[in-house]
Amino acid sequence: MESLPLICARHVVAHDPLPKLPSNLYPVLFQAAFLDGRHQVLQDLVTAWPSRVLNFQQLVGGRELLQDHPYDLCVQAVILGVKAQLQRELKEPGHNSKLQVLDMRGIPDSASGRAPDGESVWSVTVALAEACVEVSGHQREFQSCGSMQHEGDSGAATAAAAPQPPRVDVHADLFINGTSYGILRDALQTAAAGPLRLKCHQFQAEELSESQITSLLESMDPSCVRRVDLDCDNLGLAELLVILPHLSRFPELRSLKLQDSYVDLRRPTRESDTRIQRLAGQLGMLPRLQELSLGHSRLSGNLHQILGNLQAPLESLDLAFCFLVPADFAFLSQSIHAPALKRLDLSCHNLSQGLLEPLRLLLEETSASLLYLNLTGCSMADSHLDELLPTLRRCSRLRFLVLYSNPLSSAALQGTLELPDLRLVVYPFPVDCFKPEPEFGWGCEDPVDEELLAAANAEFSRILANSGRTNLVWTYDPDGAEALDYFSL
């Protein structure tokens, strides 16, 4: 139910232009304008913002509200408001705004379209970058005009009379690919001296070259970066050895994701051994690292070398599809990381190939801390789950369990209901809910029997209701768990 101030604010923002209002009403007016898509009102509010900080996500009520409402145009309106205010301050020196910090962190970026080469255009990142470049251009124009106007004055007198240039720091998460690389590079390079200064906290790059990535990293404010996510399948071990030294300049870096990188260590050579040692040394230069993703790297037998130099225990580790062998599980079980792990992704490791007991021993060591466990696509049959359940029961903090894409029956899945603290389970379609295989293959027919699946779901719901577990969410949507952030920085 909406509060009375919000209801009143929604009536106020329906009028444009806004009447003159007390500054303490601006936050609720901002939220009302966002909810009702009043873009011009949002821009006007930002232009006259009465305090030093504007935190977008905090004002609109959190990430959940952003997911439920179209926000691209609202974000554009906020950026336009800041840009308009800075342009006015450049044009009219002395007309200073109170706003100094625009916090856009936590806003899910969205693909606003496609470039001619088919790549996505990330709307928030591009809008911020374009605004930074444009305002810097206006600053140069006004400075040039000012220099001509004051020509003949003494340098000392001019400097004494010159007011402080306007400045707004924009804290944001940036999503970059080949389409947005050029404008973002220009924005970061002008940020240090420009009126609109881009401060990156989470840097996510898609399919960029190693030289493009290093160019962007070198242009960022080192005090702000917390997360780096490189989703680039063109990066091998040699390229990563070029990139990783640039990360040591970020003293607050907590999370590093090297997803889909082309690292294959299954056939070691003398050269690859040397490179692994260098890679481990560079990871060891990141003293605050708490989250590491090496998903889709072929690491067989090399996990002890790669993680051996880390200075502090990891709290989140993604080793999905990494071709781990029992020795890798044994190392992890005995490492400093096991007792600290809150999130562990071991997807796509075949438990029928000698990994079930090493996994069970690893879970024993993580039982006091583990919150999230992902075992998607692990060829887990009923017998495997039955053997793991006693250990899972000892994982006293386990809240989220992902068992998607495993050949499990309804009866075996019901065993997870014995885990008292679970809040979410992503489960596979039970094998007993599939239709019999047609004589000539599956064809285009959906192999899941909807009636059997509905009956299984109804039985799960009945058991949960009878046990008072109505807070436990069951879903067979594999994105249901990934949308949530289990690792809070």
Side-chain angles (χ1 to χ4, degrees):
M1 181 179 293
E2 292 182 353
S3 65
L4 181 59
L6 180 58
I7 293 172
C8 296
R10 296 183 86 160
H11 284 286
V12 173
V13 299
H15 300 87
D16 187 19
L18 288 175
K20 189 172 180 61
L21 295 164
S23 59
N24 64 314
L25 295 180
Y26 272 58
V28 70
L29 292 171
F30 187 102
Q31 187 179 38
F34 169 80
L35 289 171
D36 293 345
R38 306 286 181 180
H39 306 130
Q40 186 57 53
V41 173
L42 277 175
Q43 184 174 335
D44 293 342
L45 286 169
V46 173
T47 302
W49 198 249
S51 56
R52 179 179 173 274
V53 178
L54 191 161
N55 186 314
F56 188 98
Q57 186 178 156
Q58 190 178 78
L59 286 168
V60 302
R63 193 179 183 94
E64 294 77 14
L65 195 59
L66 287 171
Q67 291 172 341
D68 294 338
H69 288 77
Y71 56 85
D72 283 0
L73 293 178
C74 293
V75 171
Q76 294 276 2
V78 170
I79 296 170
L80 287 173
V82 174
K83 188 169 71 171
Q85 178 58 31
L86 286 171
Q87 289 171 338
R88 181 178 178 183
E89 292 181 45
L90 288 168
K91 190 175 182 180
E92 304 173 23
H95 186 86
N96 293 330
S97 167
K98 290 186 178 180
L99 182 63
Q100 297 179 32
V101 177
L102 174 62
D103 193 336
M104 306 288 281
R105 289 177 294 171
I107 298 177
D109 212 337
S110 60
S112 59
R114 294 279 175 179
D117 60 3
E119 287 196 278
S120 300
V121 177
W122 296 100
S123 59
V124 176
T125 295
V126 171
L128 286 171
E130 289 177 342
C132 288
V133 172
E134 188 175 340
V135 175
S136 292
H138 286 297
Q139 181 184 43
R140 288 191 296 271
E141 290 176 12
F142 288 123
Q143 286 175 341
S144 177
C145 292
S147 298
M148 294 176 62
Q149 191 173 20
H150 292 290
E151 191 173 351
D153 294 345
S154 70
T158 302
Q164 287 294 319
R167 169 179 174 175
V168 173
D169 291 340
V170 183
H171 296 262
D173 302 329
L174 303 179
F175 299 78
I176 308 99
N177 57 17
T179 303
S180 55
Y181 166 74
I183 185 66
L184 186 66
R185 177 201 58 207
D186 295 344
L188 289 171
Q189 289 176 352
T190 61
L196 197 57
R197 305 188 182 198
L198 204 50
K199 308 285 186 179
C200 178
H201 286 251
Q202 177 173 326
F203 171 73
Q204 180 173 331
E206 293 181 339
E207 302 307 328
L208 295 184
S209 69
E210 120 239 2
S211 60
Q212 290 174 319
I213 292 169
T214 55
S215 174
L216 294 174
L217 293 174
E218 281 299 305
S219 301
M220 292 178 185
D221 184 335
S223 67
C224 295
V225 177
R226 301 292 189 275
R227 298 188 186 213
V228 172
D229 184 345
L230 306 180
D231 190 359
C232 307
D233 60 14
N234 58 323
L235 301 179
L237 190 55
E239 289 76 19
L240 291 177
L241 289 174
V242 173
I243 294 169
L244 289 181
H246 294 269
L247 300 181
S248 61
R249 62 188 293 268
F250 301 132
E252 297 299 323
L253 184 68
R254 312 290 180 85
S255 173
L256 175 61
K257 296 183 179 182
L258 305 175
Q259 303 184 71
D260 294 330
S261 58
Y262 187 66
V263 175
D264 191 341
L265 306 179
R266 289 174 294 178
R267 296 177 179 84
T269 63
R270 182 176 298 179
E271 182 182 15
S272 68
D273 285 344
T274 301
R275 287 179 170 179
I276 292 171
Q277 292 172 13
R278 289 176 56 197
L279 176 68
Q282 290 169 4
L283 289 175
M285 298 295 289
L286 309 176
R288 304 290 300 274
L289 197 65
Q290 293 175 283
E291 180 174 49
L292 180 62
S293 174
L294 299 169
H296 289 79
S297 297
R298 280 65 169 164
L299 304 180
S300 304
N302 291 282
L303 196 61
H304 68 290
Q305 293 189 67
I306 293 170
L307 302 185
N309 286 18
L310 292 180
Q311 300 179 34
L314 295 169
E315 294 184 10
S316 177
L317 183 58
D318 180 354
L319 296 170
F321 219 110
C322 282
F323 292 84
L324 300 183
V325 298
D328 295 314
F329 282 80
F331 158 75
L332 197 54
S333 299
Q334 299 163 17
S335 72
I336 61 171
H337 310 294
L341 282 173
K342 297 178 181 178
R343 186 183 192 280
L344 180 61
D345 190 337
L346 294 170
S347 300
C348 301
H349 287 94
N350 192 333
L351 296 183
S352 66
Q353 297 181 350
L355 295 179
L356 183 62
E357 181 61 13
L359 171 61
R360 193 190 65 76
L361 294 174
L362 172 59
L363 293 178
E364 290 274 4
E365 298 300 322
T366 65
S367 60
S369 60
L370 197 62
L371 295 172
Y372 168 92
L373 176 63
N374 192 336
L375 297 174
T376 294
C378 287
S379 301
M380 183 186 298
D382 288 4
S383 59
H384 300 135
L385 182 56
D386 289 343
E387 192 168 336
L388 283 178
L389 277 174
T391 304
L392 291 174
R393 290 191 197 101
R394 288 193 284 275
C395 294
S396 57
R397 301 184 64 196
L398 189 64
R399 302 292 184 269
F400 312 99
L401 179 62
V402 185
L403 299 173
Y404 189 75
S405 192
N406 283 292
L408 296 166
S409 69
S410 301
L413 288 168
Q414 288 178 22
T416 62
L417 301 179
E418 302 171 14
L419 307 176
D421 296 308
L422 281 183
R423 295 293 176 266
L424 183 144
V425 176
V426 181
Y427 65 98
F429 296 119
V431 291
D432 47 298
C433 293
F434 283 82
K435 299 174 183 177
E437 186 174 356
E439 184 178 354
F440 300 105
W442 292 112
C444 297
E445 185 181 10
D446 186 350
V448 176
D449 188 311
E450 295 296 338
E451 290 186 7
L452 291 175
L453 183 61
N457 287 337
E459 180 63 11
F460 293 150
S461 299
R462 185 190 65 78
I463 295 173
L464 290 172
N466 290 343
S467 61
R469 302 285 304 282
T470 54
N471 61 337
L472 175 56
V473 176
W474 275 62
T475 177
Y476 43 81
D477 177 7
D479 295 327
E482 295 306 317
L484 301 175
D485 185 3
Y486 301 103
F487 180 74
S488 176
L489 295 180

